[in-house]
Amino acid sequence: MSYLDENAIPLSIDLYELTMGASYHALGMDGRATFSLFVRSLPPGRSFLVVAGVEDALRRLENLRFDERALEYIATLPQVRPDFVEYLRSFRFEGDVWAVPEGSIVFPNEPVLEITASIIHGQIAEPVVMNALHYPTLVATKAARCVLAAQGKPLFDFGLRRAPEIDGGLAAARACYLAGFSGTSNVLAGKVYGIPVVGTMAHSFVESFPNERLAFEGFVSTFPHRITLLIDTYDVLMGAQHVVEVSRKFAGTGKQISAVRIDSGDLEALSRQVRKLLDSEGLQDIRIMASGGLDEYEIDRLLRNGAPIDSFGVGTRVVTAEDAPVLDMSYKLVQFDGRPKLKLSEGKRTIVGAKQLWRRIDTTGLYAEDMISGREEQAPDDGEWLPLLRPMMKAGRITESFDLEEARRQHAREVERLPSHLRDIHSVGEYKVTLSSQLQERQRLAEEMIAQEEGLAAKPQR
Amino acid sequence: MSYLDENAIPLSIDLYELTMGASYHALGMDGRATFSLFVRSLPPGRSFLVVAGVEDALRRLENLRFDERALEYIATLPQVRPDFVEYLRSFRFEGDVWAVPEGSIVFPNEPVLEITASIIHGQIAEPVVMNALHYPTLVATKAARCVLAAQGKPLFDFGLRRAPEIDGGLAAARACYLAGFSGTSNVLAGKVYGIPVVGTMAHSFVESFPNERLAFEGFVSTFPHRITLLIDTYDVLMGAQHVVEVSRKFAGTGKQISAVRIDSGDLEALSRQVRKLLDSEGLQDIRIMASGGLDEYEIDRLLRNGAPIDSFGVGTRVVTAEDAPVLDMSYKLVQFDGRPKLKLSEGKRTIVGAKQLWRRIDTTGLYAEDMISGREEQAPDDGEWLPLLRPMMKAGRITESFDLEEARRQHAREVERLPSHLRDIHSVGEYKVTLSSQLQERQRLAEEMIAQEEGLAAKPQR
């Protein structure tokens, strides 16, 4: 992300992190705290989440510095004490971070990322890691569902124009690629992340010529490689006919039309008609790309109905995570100064202490169940359990190198391990997640103890 | 937006803008084109849109430069011709832009922003202006609905952590403030846009003390101004009781608790109970702030039921535009080389030519109807019609200075002019938008002419 100004990061926090930090600082409270980030429940229609943004979260934490411009501004805020502004001058994040690897599949209430740091550091990290993970995880999850629906056919991210802002477009392109897309239209994502960039043509290009055929000829004559022509500006079948004519005209010149794109109308019927026409003209090699308002449901419908579509340009609905734009993501204090911590009032469970997340793989190699344990616990005895949380940052330094291509491959391997009832995009599948018996006991004691300290009757937590 | 790297902007485009540009360049096509940005239909539940992002769109266009790093990368793309890379070296956007002012209320199919430039420039501008307007307009629209629901009570943006990325959080804070929010928790938005920043405390602060009362005492003792205490970490009524005790303890010290915040549970019932308790203890001056999953519907419900809530912290649902995260926003070629242009195939109307948008104000000062005309047409004779599109950029230079506070006031005046059937958040109100007779005729002729040129039967456009 070399194109984004690192100096925006430290100020992109909630004021209350600074006011609470100032209070802790003034009171001399610098005990060690553990915070846990998790998603309480899945958005509608989802059976799993694909975690994205971990790498960015770590990078933001590692680079968190309050420069002079930032400090000057903070000093003007009446809510922040001057001694704390001085403290921030030498601030650098010194926490330890455990997290699941980028692209991991996770389920509700599972720890995704845990930070152990002095409480001021852990508090300042809150908006940093939440902001870094929330949006990319939404997009990666939606994109992974599109990949499941596409049955191996390539998908391309065309979402930049309706993605949220410039770094939203960048993060979306990355999340889609991580989840298995084959490329993006976003040139910046190509530059920053090395994602293959793709492009075709727009309706305006066709319209700017006296007629469609001349537009196609113009484009083919000047476009060097892998030519895709957009054929729905006026009439798709006439567009396909123009492709045939232009293809003949350039025959033997080395110029080759490799695909046509249909961006509107009844994609199923039109793709059949276009395929038939191209085939009848001996142009079996020209592929058909579909785009325009696509999501996992539409891709699934088209392919199940046998539409002869070879690839998909997917944009708006994925980069806005249209049907599920919010994750019930939380970042909660779970331990402080060696004591378990949790919030009681809401009846929502926060699982205390630093944890490990275990996944059991069955004998066929598929996910069987997950178990959440204390961080220090060993793997259960029965079967093959993999620990998912890994140490990724030590004393503020990233300890695990990251490679997007490897994360993408690792994610693909994880998807292969998804049981079939979780792969169905049309129904929500259940997955077993339990707490280790040690952790259950620790949780029970913590809930009792905190209720007692606050003079409350212990309530059963859901 | 001084904190964002300007160099990210030129690369944050779709590859096809570059490949089409390369084709135009190779073919020597540099005719003057007009592109129009509009929203085809309103998202579900909406009666109007609040435009945001115009200022940013203009700024991005004015600063669009392909620096050496960008050009080096573009030169590696096999789809872009080397001569076009050279062309980009001296590129600077030279178009003219007309747009509605930031914060304007608009309706479907109305021109929001129109660019007239050489076709390569107009094409490169596409992802720039779409990306700049799409997300902020969604958020400003949702925020304006919250403001309508809040009946004058202050609203604060608490959405940073679940906003999309860092500049999404910044844009959301700005869009909310433009739409009438009173402040934001986002420190960067305070720095960059001068928006008042606010903050309270988090549950983790309370949890990190041996008990809630000690946490409140610690915070009050160190927090200098406008103290707000979060009272729902364990039990809201006990929290309120602790506020009473701490308030007594600090009586006469100059420290004053100005508000309590309730972030979970039954906000209506709890706010009544807390109000009653505080009043009975003579603490009528302590205000009640509510937060946690709020949107316009919940704010409206709470206030209609008479919940004694004085202000609202609104976050996730607004910054994700949760119930309507997509705008059917288009950027279409409408004129090229002096001839009207439009896409026919989809049956979706694109209104040809450079346009003006007129709004008639009735004798009571309310919006009565809108009319879209050719850019060159005069105001209609009947009644008071205001032209909404203004020239904002000439030959690539911004010609209109911008002030966020003034735009916010102007937006508030526009909302006052909304007829009551458009102010109801629970029903979708219709608003009359027509085309001038001249424009209707121009459109009819253009549709006929283009169909004829393409050898198609003229189809009636919807």
Side-chain angles (χ1 to χ4, degrees):
Chain A
M1 303 235 303
S2 57
Y3 269 98
L4 295 179
D5 186 340
E6 300 286 351
N7 295 315
I9 297 170
L11 280 182
S12 202
I13 60 176
D14 295 307
L15 178 62
Y16 79 175
E17 315 294 351
L18 299 181
T19 57
M20 289 188 289
S23 263
Y24 288 133
H25 183 66
L27 296 166
M29 283 174 68
D30 60 357
R32 201 108 175 125
T34 298
F35 289 84
S36 187
L37 185 145
F38 57 97
V39 176
R40 280 197 197 281
S41 57
L42 293 174
R46 304 288 188 267
S47 299
F48 60 85
L49 294 175
V50 177
V51 176
V54 173
E55 183 205 11
D56 195 31
L58 296 172
R59 209 188 43 76
R60 293 191 200 178
L61 289 175
E62 193 175 64
N63 290 296
L64 204 60
R65 301 282 186 283
F66 294 85
D67 69 3
E68 277 309 313
R69 284 190 298 169
L71 292 171
E72 268 173 35
Y73 175 69
I74 291 171
T76 68
L77 298 171
Q79 302 96 328
V80 182
R81 298 166 56 104
D83 56 333
F84 191 62
V85 178
E86 281 315 302
Y87 167 87
L88 291 177
R89 192 174 299 279
S90 56
F91 182 91
R92 112 174 159 69
F93 179 73
E94 290 176 346
D96 300 338
V97 183
W98 286 55
V100 301
E102 194 84 350
S104 293
I105 289 170
V106 301
F107 301 95
N109 292 309
E110 297 189 336
V112 169
L113 180 148
E114 294 195 330
I115 290 180
T116 300
S118 95
I119 188 142
I120 297 177
H121 290 232
Q123 198 75 68
I124 285 178
E126 174 172 20
V128 179
V129 297
M130 291 273 284
N131 181 274
L133 281 155
H134 183 268
Y135 175 71
T137 297
L138 277 170
V139 175
T141 300
K142 180 88 173 162
R145 292 167 57 80
C146 291
V147 172
L148 283 172
Q151 304 177 16
K153 294 186 190 290
L155 296 168
F156 300 97
D157 156 46
F158 284 180
L160 170 63
R161 63 194 56 197
R162 295 194 190 86
E165 302 295 306
I166 286 176
D167 55 6
L170 188 59
R174 183 183 177 286
C176 286
Y177 188 66
L178 179 69
F181 277 37
S182 298
T184 178
S185 67
N186 185 338
V187 177
L188 186 63
K191 166 89 168 71
V192 173
Y193 294 122
I195 300 170
V197 287
V198 296
T200 62
M201 58 164 54
H203 299 113
S204 51
F205 186 87
V206 175
E207 293 163 16
S208 66
F209 286 76
N211 61 51
E212 186 180 66
R213 196 187 142 142
L214 286 173
F216 288 174
E217 289 184 12
F219 196 68
V220 172
S221 70
T222 58
F223 193 81
H225 296 285
R226 288 186 295 180
I227 295 161
T228 298
L229 298 175
L230 176 64
I231 60 172
D232 76 326
T233 304
Y234 303 114
D235 178 280
V236 170
L237 285 182
M238 186 167 295
Q241 187 57 48
H242 289 152
V243 169
V244 172
E245 293 163 17
V246 173
S247 180
R248 291 223 179 94
K249 174 158 179 175
F250 284 91
T253 65
K255 295 276 185 184
Q256 207 175 346
I257 299 167
S258 57
V260 296
R261 176 162 74 101
I262 311 172
D263 187 51
S264 58
D266 179 343
L267 296 174
E268 183 187 334
L270 291 171
S271 64
R272 282 187 210 281
Q273 292 164 16
V274 168
R275 184 73 272 154
K276 196 171 162 190
L277 175 67
L278 293 174
D279 288 354
S280 72
E281 300 285 349
L283 297 170
Q284 288 86 352
D285 286 350
I286 297 184
R287 309 283 79 194
I288 298 176
M289 167 183 261
S291 61
L294 296 180
D295 60 11
E296 68 269 45
Y297 301 108
E298 185 61 9
I299 292 167
D300 179 74
R301 192 187 66 74
L302 288 166
L303 292 180
R304 279 179 195 261
N305 290 349
I309 297 171
D310 303 291
S311 67
F312 298 89
V314 180
T316 306
R317 289 174 195 270
V318 170
V319 302
T320 61
E322 190 204 18
D323 62 334
V326 174
L327 284 179
D328 189 9
M329 183 180 273
S330 295
Y331 177 89
K332 294 290 177 193
L333 182 68
V334 293
Q335 179 151 323
F336 181 60
D337 254 351
R339 292 161 68 89
K341 293 293 175 183
L342 59 95
K343 179 180 161 208
L344 288 181
S345 64
E346 218 176 326
K348 289 179 182 169
R349 168 169 266 184
T350 300
I351 307 172
V352 297
K355 294 174 284 295
Q356 180 53 280
L357 174 60
W358 301 90
R359 181 158 295 164
R360 185 164 71 80
I361 308 299
D362 72 15
T363 51
T364 66
L366 297 181
Y367 290 0
E369 61 175 316
D370 287 4
M371 193 186 73
I372 307 169
S373 77
R375 176 79 56 81
E376 72 293 352
E377 290 186 51
Q378 299 298 306
D381 294 336
D382 57 322
E384 184 189 1
W385 291 84
L386 307 176
L388 301 192
L389 284 172
R390 294 212 299 247
M392 295 202 177
M393 176 173 262
K394 182 74 187 165
R397 297 288 170 206
I398 295 173
T399 54
E400 176 158 320
S401 69
F402 179 82
D403 179 76
L404 180 58
E405 293 292 340
E406 172 49 27
R408 184 168 179 264
R409 284 190 295 272
Q410 175 59 31
H411 167 75
R413 285 191 291 270
E414 290 221 21
V415 172
E416 283 170 14
R417 290 181 147 176
L418 265 184
S420 60
H421 73 288
L422 299 180
R423 301 169 68 100
D424 180 0
I425 60 167
H426 297 288
S427 69
V428 175
E430 292 281 323
Y431 183 75
K432 184 179 173 188
V433 179
T434 57
L435 265 55
S436 75
S437 55
Q438 281 186 50
L439 185 55
Q440 282 180 48
E441 180 63 9
R442 184 206 284 177
Q443 185 75 14
R444 192 182 62 76
L445 290 171
E447 288 171 9
E448 276 182 18
M449 183 186 75
I450 290 167
Q452 201 169 19
E453 285 173 354
E454 295 298 320
L456 295 166
K459 339 182 210 190
Q461 295 280 303
R462 66 171 163 87
Chain B
M1 304 237 302
S2 58
Y3 268 98
L4 295 179
D5 186 340
E6 300 285 352
N7 295 314
I9 297 169
L11 281 182
S12 202
I13 60 176
D14 295 307
L15 177 62
Y16 81 175
E17 316 294 352
L18 298 181
T19 57
M20 290 188 288
S23 264
Y24 288 133
H25 183 64
L27 296 167
M29 284 174 67
D30 61 356
R32 201 104 175 128
T34 299
F35 289 84
S36 187
L37 185 145
F38 57 98
V39 176
R40 280 198 196 281
S41 57
L42 294 173
R46 304 289 188 266
S47 300
F48 60 85
L49 294 175
V50 177
V51 176
V54 173
E55 183 206 10
D56 195 31
L58 295 173
R59 208 189 45 74
R60 293 190 199 178
L61 290 176
E62 193 174 63
N63 290 295
L64 205 59
R65 301 281 186 284
F66 294 85
D67 69 2
E68 277 309 314
R69 284 190 298 169
L71 292 170
E72 267 173 37
Y73 176 68
I74 291 171
T76 67
L77 299 172
Q79 302 96 328
V80 183
R81 298 166 56 104
D83 57 332
F84 191 63
V85 178
E86 281 315 301
Y87 167 87
L88 291 177
R89 193 175 298 280
S90 57
F91 183 90
R92 109 174 161 70
F93 180 73
E94 289 176 347
D96 299 339
V97 182
W98 286 56
V100 301
E102 193 85 349
S104 293
I105 289 169
V106 301
F107 302 95
N109 293 310
E110 296 189 337
V112 169
L113 180 148
E114 294 194 330
I115 290 181
T116 300
S118 95
I119 187 141
I120 298 177
H121 290 232
Q123 197 76 68
I124 285 178
E126 173 172 20
V128 179
V129 297
M130 291 273 284
N131 181 275
L133 281 155
H134 183 268
Y135 175 70
T137 297
L138 277 170
V139 175
T141 300
K142 179 89 173 161
R145 292 167 56 80
C146 292
V147 172
L148 283 172
Q151 304 176 16
K153 293 186 190 290
L155 297 168
F156 300 98
D157 156 46
F158 285 0
L160 170 63
R161 63 193 56 196
R162 294 194 190 85
E165 302 295 305
I166 286 176
D167 54 7
L170 188 59
R174 182 182 177 286
C176 286
Y177 189 65
L178 179 69
F181 277 37
S182 297
T184 178
S185 67
N186 184 338
V187 177
L188 187 63
K191 166 87 168 72
V192 173
Y193 294 122
I195 300 170
V197 286
V198 297
T200 62
M201 59 165 54
H203 298 112
S204 52
F205 186 88
V206 176
E207 293 162 16
S208 66
F209 285 76
N211 61 52
E212 185 180 68
R213 196 188 142 140
L214 285 173
F216 289 173
E217 288 184 13
F219 196 67
V220 172
S221 70
T222 58
F223 193 81
H225 297 285
R226 290 186 292 180
I227 295 161
T228 298
L229 298 174
L230 176 65
I231 61 173
D232 76 327
T233 304
Y234 304 114
D235 178 280
V236 170
L237 285 182
M238 187 168 294
Q241 187 57 48
H242 290 152
V243 170
V244 171
E245 294 163 17
V246 174
S247 180
R248 291 226 177 92
K249 174 158 178 175
F250 285 91
T253 65
K255 294 276 186 185
Q256 207 176 345
I257 299 167
S258 57
V260 297
R261 176 162 75 101
I262 311 172
D263 186 52
S264 59
D266 178 344
L267 296 174
E268 182 186 335
L270 292 170
S271 64
R272 283 187 209 281
Q273 292 165 19
V274 168
R275 183 74 273 155
K276 196 170 162 189
L277 175 68
L278 293 174
D279 287 354
S280 73
E281 299 284 350
L283 297 171
Q284 288 86 353
D285 287 349
I286 297 184
R287 309 282 82 193
I288 298 176
M289 167 183 260
S291 60
L294 296 180
D295 62 11
E296 67 269 44
Y297 302 107
E298 185 60 10
I299 292 167
D300 179 75
R301 192 187 67 74
L302 289 166
L303 292 181
R304 279 179 195 260
N305 290 350
I309 297 170
D310 303 290
S311 67
F312 298 89
V314 180
T316 305
R317 289 175 195 268
V318 170
V319 302
T320 61
E322 191 205 17
D323 63 334
V326 173
L327 284 179
D328 190 8
M329 183 179 274
S330 295
Y331 177 88
K332 294 291 176 193
L333 182 68
V334 293
Q335 179 152 324
F336 181 60
D337 254 352
R339 293 160 67 88
K341 293 292 175 183
L342 58 96
K343 178 181 161 208
L344 288 180
S345 64
E346 218 177 325
K348 289 178 182 170
R349 169 169 266 183
T350 300
I351 307 172
V352 297
K355 294 174 285 294
Q356 180 52 281
L357 173 60
W358 300 91
R359 180 158 296 164
R360 185 163 70 80
I361 308 298
D362 72 15
T363 52
T364 66
L366 297 181
Y367 291 179
E369 61 175 317
D370 287 4
M371 192 185 73
I372 307 169
S373 77
R375 176 79 56 81
E376 73 292 352
E377 290 185 52
Q378 299 297 308
D381 294 335
D382 57 321
E384 184 190 1
W385 291 84
L386 307 177
L388 300 192
L389 283 172
R390 295 212 297 247
M392 296 202 176
M393 176 173 261
K394 182 75 187 163
R397 297 288 170 207
I398 295 172
T399 54
E400 176 159 320
S401 69
F402 180 82
D403 180 77
L404 180 58
E405 292 292 341
E406 172 49 29
R408 184 168 178 265
R409 284 191 295 271
Q410 176 58 31
H411 167 75
R413 286 192 291 271
E414 290 221 22
V415 172
E416 284 170 15
R417 291 182 146 175
L418 265 185
S420 60
H421 72 287
L422 299 181
R423 301 169 68 101
D424 180 0
I425 59 168
H426 297 289
S427 68
V428 175
E430 292 281 324
Y431 183 75
K432 184 179 172 188
V433 180
T434 57
L435 265 54
S436 76
S437 55
Q438 280 186 50
L439 185 55
Q440 282 180 47
E441 180 62 9
R442 184 204 286 178
Q443 184 75 14
R444 194 183 62 75
L445 289 172
E447 288 172 8
E448 275 182 17
M449 184 186 74
I450 289 167
Q452 201 169 18
E453 284 173 355
E454 296 297 321
L456 296 165
K459 344 181 208 190
Q461 296 281 303
R462 66 172 162 87

